[in-house]
């Protein structure tokens, strides 16, 4: 994996492929490559490093109007030129780009090697190129089907063949793939971002589906070669939506965009009169909402932490037992699926393999799943029974920020809907609605404090290791704070329940290990201050993320004060300075903030 782009049309393919790949850079990658069909055969160019390094290495003019390109995030074999995609057959006739993982690659390699095939890379993808080239089927589509019948695993692939120079054959199973329909040109991409400059007319491939694209038409079909007759849908994405908007990094732009994006998310979804949320996409009436006895939230990484914030909101506002669980673990423990549990899959990309597998596990066992998803039309959105779109707009930085805020707000709205068909009073519903409406203005106030937050962050960046602590509502905030900090600053940051410190981790506290403490003004303030005392008494340095009027006083070396909202919604605002803190720590350390090492934007492999 990581990004795929393909072009067939009347333009020269190389600039289209290079531009498409640069739009996919945000997903994180370590090498890039393209293959173009020209009159002289297939020309393949690959490079370790950035797309701009690949571009700089290309010869002046490469004729050819059909080609495929890829950014690779190493899974099988290190990041080398030989392991970069496209991978080609031994005679160079067939070229393949691939996202996903072929599970039986090693046994297929052994078998092919026994037949005399010489491998030039460590990748699982090369197997596909050899299988396609070795097929005796009379068409490229038939050869790809032959190859796919022999492999198991996940993939999105795009294949070109010198014998069929008018087309790309693409296939999807577990990794996203989209066709872009243009005027006498067609595109293949793993992500809408690669298409936005060219077309807004797209076809989402489903798992198990294949496609042939030529400059004039596309055809989608199943593995049984039945046409699946898809019509293009129109996407609402402007090229400018994915610009930097004057910021040095997408992460910064996305943090500061939140007042606007949150306002957009809330528009038309709050019902002041009845103190509830209007969530038509849930596809659940009041009777069904009332029937749920439990809520189980499934997400990965930061989406899981947003799910923990959401579970607390649901328990507090709707008084239904709710918990969040890492989707990556869920299916491996043969989970018990209950008919009166509402399962909620939460994902920015909507393509995270672990979360998608969890959705399938629930559905296979007859459970009901809704999605809290940002990317419209993504796999999780399509496979869920209903859901709440996050409307955060495209998120480019690998470290998720605005999408998480939107997830937490989505959970608040879900909690309102579940609460108002139970015991949540109309006035409490209206109180939460007023709190939600205050969020954009309050986020702006936090942004105004950025110079102070940056100063605190630079100081923290000097420490090799940090604790983030919080209690109950504040604990997922601490977890997300630590996650963001470690992702972009590469510092060791560990989150702990403040209450658990004295049961072990306190042994680590000394002047070299700072602690960021989440200290909201709520019923637990005194307990949180007591935890801070325990740290201060052992020489530990403290930074408090707190509310006006909380007496952190001399306990903290620095404090960042966040506007107070309703207690249930406070975690949303307490998280935002932690986003800015992580950003400024990474900035002071000179890291590649939007593309942190070893990480990819959407993790479409297990
Ligand atoms: C953290 C981060 C990851 C993602 C996780 C889930 O900043 O980006 O932890 O939150 O990989 O991704 P989605 O939300 O796309 O399912």
């Amino acid at each position: 994996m990581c990004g795929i782009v393909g072009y067939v049309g009347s333009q020269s393919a190389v600039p289209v492929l290079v531009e498409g790949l640069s739009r996919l850079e945000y997903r994180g990658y370590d090498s890039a490559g393209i293959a173009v069909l020209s009159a002289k055969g297939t020309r393949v160019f690959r490079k370790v490093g950035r797309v701009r390094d690949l571009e700089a290495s290309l010869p002046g003019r490469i004729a050819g109007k059909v080609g495929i390109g890829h950014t690779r995030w190493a899974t099988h074999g290190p990041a080398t030129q030989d392991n970069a995609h496209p991978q080609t057959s031994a005679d160079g006739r067939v070229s393949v780009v691939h996202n996903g993982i072929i599970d039986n690659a090693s046994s297929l390699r052994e078998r092919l090697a026994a037949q005399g095939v010489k491998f030039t890379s460590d990748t699982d993808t090369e197997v596909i190129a050899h299988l396609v080239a070795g097929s005796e089927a009379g068409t490229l589509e038939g050869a790809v089907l032959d190859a796919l019948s022999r492999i198991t695993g996940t993939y999105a692939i795009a294949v070109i063949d010198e014998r069929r120079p008018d087309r790309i054959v693409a296939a999807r199973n577990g990794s996203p793939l989209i066709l872009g329909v243009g005027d006498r040109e067609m595109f293949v991409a793993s992500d809408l971002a690669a298409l936005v400059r060219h077309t807004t007319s797209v076809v989402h491939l489903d798992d198990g589906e294949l496609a042939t694209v030529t400059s004039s038409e596309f055809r989608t079909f199943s593995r049984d070669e039945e046409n699946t007759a898809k019509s293009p849908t129109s996407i609402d994405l402007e090229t400018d939506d994915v610009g930097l908007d004057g910021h040095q990094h997408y992460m910064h732009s996305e943090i500061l965009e939140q007042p606007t994006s949150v306002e957009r998310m809330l528009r038309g979804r709050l019902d002041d009169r009845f103190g509830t949320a209007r969530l038509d996409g849930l596809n659940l009436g009041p009777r069904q909402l009332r029937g749920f006895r439990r809520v189980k939230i499934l997400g990965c990484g930061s989406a899981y932490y947003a799910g923990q914030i959401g579970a607390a909101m649901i328990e507090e506002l709707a008084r239904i037992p709710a918990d969040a669980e890492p989707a990556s673990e869920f299916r491996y423990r043969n989970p018990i699926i209950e008919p009166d549990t509402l399962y909620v899959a939460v994902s920015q990309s909507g393509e995270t393999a672990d979360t998608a597998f969890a959705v399938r596990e629930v559905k296979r066992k007859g459970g009901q799943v809704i999605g809290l998803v940002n990317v419209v039309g993504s796999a999780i959105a399509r496979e869920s029974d209903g859901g709440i779109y996050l409307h955060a707009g495209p998120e480019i930085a690998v470290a998720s920020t605005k999408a998480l805020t939107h997830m937490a707000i989505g959970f608040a709205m879900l909690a309102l809907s579940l609460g108002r068909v139970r015991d949540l009073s109309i006035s409490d519903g209206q109180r939460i609605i007023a709190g939600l409406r205050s969020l954009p203005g309050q986020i702006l106030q936090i942004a105004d404090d950025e110079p102070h937050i940056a100063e605190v962050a630079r100081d923290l960046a000097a420490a090799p290791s940090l604790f983030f602590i919080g209690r109950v509502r504040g604990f997922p905030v601490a977890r997300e704070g630590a996650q963001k900090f470690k992702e972009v600053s590469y510092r060791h940051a560990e989150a702990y329940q403040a209450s658990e410190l004295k049961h072990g981790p306190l042994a680590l506290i000394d002047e070299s290990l700072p602690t960021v403490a989440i200290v909201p003004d709520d019923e637990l303030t005194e307990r949180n201050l007591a935890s801070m005392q325990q740290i201060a008494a052992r020489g530990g340095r403290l930074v408090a993320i707190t509310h006006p009027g909380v007496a952190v006083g001399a306990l903290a070396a620095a404090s960042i004060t966040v506007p107070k909202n309703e207690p249930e919604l406070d975690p949303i605002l307490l998280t935002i300075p932690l986003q800015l803190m992580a950003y400024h720590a990474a900035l002071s350390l000179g890291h590649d903030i939007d593309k942190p090492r070893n990480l990819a934007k959407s993790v479409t492999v297990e």
Side-chain angles (χ1 to χ4, degrees):
M1 63 180 241
C2 192
I4 289 178
V5 57
Y7 177 76
V8 38
S10 50
Q11 303 183 51
S12 172
V14 172
V16 179
L17 296 175
V18 169
E19 196 267 339
L21 290 181
S22 59
R23 295 215 168 245
L24 296 178
E25 284 198 291
Y26 75 91
R27 300 170 64 98
Y29 67 103
D30 42 47
S31 52
I34 57 171
V36 178
L37 289 175
S38 75
K40 294 191 200 131
T42 313
R43 306 201 57 194
V44 181
F45 304 91
R46 298 180 297 193
K47 195 86 187 155
V48 175
R50 295 281 169 238
V51 173
R52 60 174 175 273
D53 302 324
L54 171 72
E55 191 177 11
S57 73
L58 296 175
R61 215 183 109 67
I62 307 160
K65 296 175 176 175
V66 179
I68 52 179
H70 191 261
T71 49
R72 173 173 187 256
W73 187 67
T75 53
H76 284 61
T80 61
Q81 186 153 322
D82 283 344
N83 287 339
H85 299 199
Q87 288 289 317
T88 52
S89 57
D91 56 2
R93 176 172 65 83
V94 171
S95 303
V96 179
V97 289
H98 165 224
N99 283 348
I101 291 185
I102 305 304
D103 294 333
N104 59 342
S106 51
S107 61
L108 287 170
R109 276 177 86 97
E110 273 168 31
R111 237 171 290 160
L112 287 164
Q115 291 162 16
V117 172
K118 296 251 176 311
F119 282 85
T120 56
S121 78
D122 309 313
T123 65
D124 49 349
T125 306
E126 190 182 347
V127 167
I128 308 175
H130 293 305
L131 289 175
V132 173
S135 163
E136 285 171 6
T139 61
L140 179 56
E141 289 79 356
V144 170
L145 278 164
D146 262 1
L148 296 184
S149 71
R150 297 186 55 190
I151 65 179
T152 56
T154 55
Y155 50 80
I157 56 168
V159 186
I160 53 174
D161 179 353
E162 288 172 9
R163 287 191 190 151
R164 296 310 307 261
D166 63 334
R167 66 193 53 210
I168 300 172
V169 174
R172 167 186 171 138
N173 187 40
S175 264
L177 205 59
I178 312 160
L179 310 181
V181 181
D183 181 15
R184 279 167 297 154
E185 56 185 3
M186 300 280 164
F187 306 83
V188 177
S190 54
D191 186 320
L192 288 173
L195 303 179
V196 286
R197 274 279 299 275
H198 305 284
T199 180
T200 52
S201 178
V202 302
V203 175
H204 291 274
L205 293 190
D206 286 314
D207 282 344
E209 203 168 31
L210 292 89
T212 301
V213 292
T214 63
S215 59
S216 55
E217 59 185 6
F218 72 88
R219 178 171 82 89
T220 54
F221 53 101
S222 67
R223 283 193 206 138
D224 310 323
E225 292 192 69
E226 297 286 334
N227 283 347
T228 46
K230 287 251 174 90
S231 311
T233 52
S234 185
I235 49 153
D236 178 21
L237 186 66
E238 300 292 331
T239 316
D240 292 348
D241 280 354
V242 285
L244 271 169
D245 204 16
H247 296 268
Q248 199 184 340
H249 298 100
Y250 284 107
M251 184 177 176
H252 194 241
S253 155
E254 287 159 9
I255 295 171
L256 295 190
E257 188 196 328
Q258 295 181 88
T260 321
S261 68
V262 167
E263 200 164 311
R264 179 176 63 222
M265 178 188 192
L266 294 175
R267 206 170 294 147
R269 283 170 147 179
L270 300 178
D271 182 336
D272 294 275
R273 188 153 160 240
F274 293 106
T276 189
R278 283 194 211 101
L279 300 172
D280 298 339
L282 281 184
N283 300 329
L284 295 168
R287 184 193 291 247
Q288 286 158 297
L289 284 173
R290 230 184 352 260
F292 294 117
R293 294 276 150 264
R294 194 181 293 278
V295 177
K296 166 70 88 183
I297 298 164
L298 299 161
C300 293
S302 291
Y304 159 54
Y305 303 141
Q308 286 195 311
I309 293 177
M313 289 171 173
I314 291 167
E315 289 209 339
E316 287 186 73
L317 295 172
R319 302 303 298 154
I320 311 176
D323 75 327
E325 176 174 340
S328 48
E329 294 272 291
F330 185 69
R331 70 186 183 286
Y332 294 116
R333 62 173 184 79
N334 192 15
I336 298 165
I337 302 300
E338 296 160 312
D340 53 3
T341 295
L342 175 63
Y343 294 87
V344 186
V346 56
S347 172
Q348 187 290 126
S349 61
E351 302 287 356
T352 299
D354 285 320
T355 312
F357 280 121
V359 168
R360 284 169 213 153
E361 179 75 14
V362 174
K363 295 199 73 173
R364 189 177 306 116
K365 294 178 173 173
Q368 187 148 9
V369 194
I370 60 163
L372 254 69
V373 174
N374 193 35
V375 176
V376 175
S378 54
I380 296 169
R382 283 179 291 136
E383 289 179 34
S384 302
D385 299 307
I388 304 172
Y389 274 124
L390 302 176
H391 294 308
E395 192 177 67
I396 305 293
V398 166
S400 190
T401 54
K402 62 175 178 169
L404 300 170
T405 304
H406 283 236
M407 286 171 190
I409 294 172
F411 281 118
M413 294 198 288
L414 178 62
L416 272 181
S417 300
L418 289 164
R420 287 290 293 121
V421 294
R422 291 183 168 75
D423 289 339
L424 186 72
S425 68
I426 201 163
S427 60
D428 264 336
Q430 286 162 340
R431 174 177 67 79
I432 295 299
I433 285 183
L436 288 170
R437 286 203 204 285
S438 309
L439 289 174
Q442 292 180 314
I443 299 173
L444 264 180
Q445 286 178 45
I446 298 171
D448 285 345
D449 199 23
E450 187 175 0
H452 169 55
I453 298 171
E455 199 183 310
V456 175
R458 283 191 287 272
D459 188 40
L460 289 175
S465 189
L466 299 92
F467 268 144
F468 283 69
I469 59 165
R471 215 175 261 267
V472 189
R473 284 185 207 115
F475 179 52
V477 175
R479 293 189 93 180
E480 174 53 13
Q483 164 98 337
K484 222 65 330 150
F485 206 88
K486 71 180 92 161
E487 279 184 296
V488 292
S489 77
Y490 314 154
R491 293 295 191 231
H492 171 241
E494 192 173 346
Y496 248 97
Q497 287 99 337
S499 54
E500 279 286 304
L501 270 188
K502 59 186 178 299
H503 297 294
L506 210 50
L508 293 173
I509 296 289
D510 64 16
E511 59 290 344
S512 70
L513 188 138
T515 300
V516 178
I518 315 301
V519 196
D521 178 8
D522 62 11
E523 67 283 7
L524 294 171
T525 310
E526 288 309 318
R527 304 296 342 125
N528 282 319
L529 290 174
S531 303
M532 287 178 72
Q533 292 276 11
Q534 290 168 4
I535 293 168
R538 283 148 187 92
R541 200 152 42 98
L542 281 148
V543 169
I545 312 293
T546 188
H547 283 139
V550 175
V552 288
L555 281 177
S559 52
I560 294 165
T561 308
V562 171
K564 178 88 182 90
N565 198 298
E566 297 302 326
E568 300 88 337
L569 302 180
D570 279 333
I572 300 171
L573 291 170
L574 290 163
T575 309
I576 289 169
L578 300 174
Q579 300 174 344
L580 283 167
M581 193 187 267
Y583 173 78
H584 283 284
L587 191 67
S588 72
L589 293 165
H591 292 163
D592 193 352
I593 296 184
D594 286 332
K595 298 184 262 306
R597 69 182 183 203
N598 305 341
L599 298 180
K601 180 62 180 165
S602 55
V603 186
T604 52
V605 291
E606 275 186 76

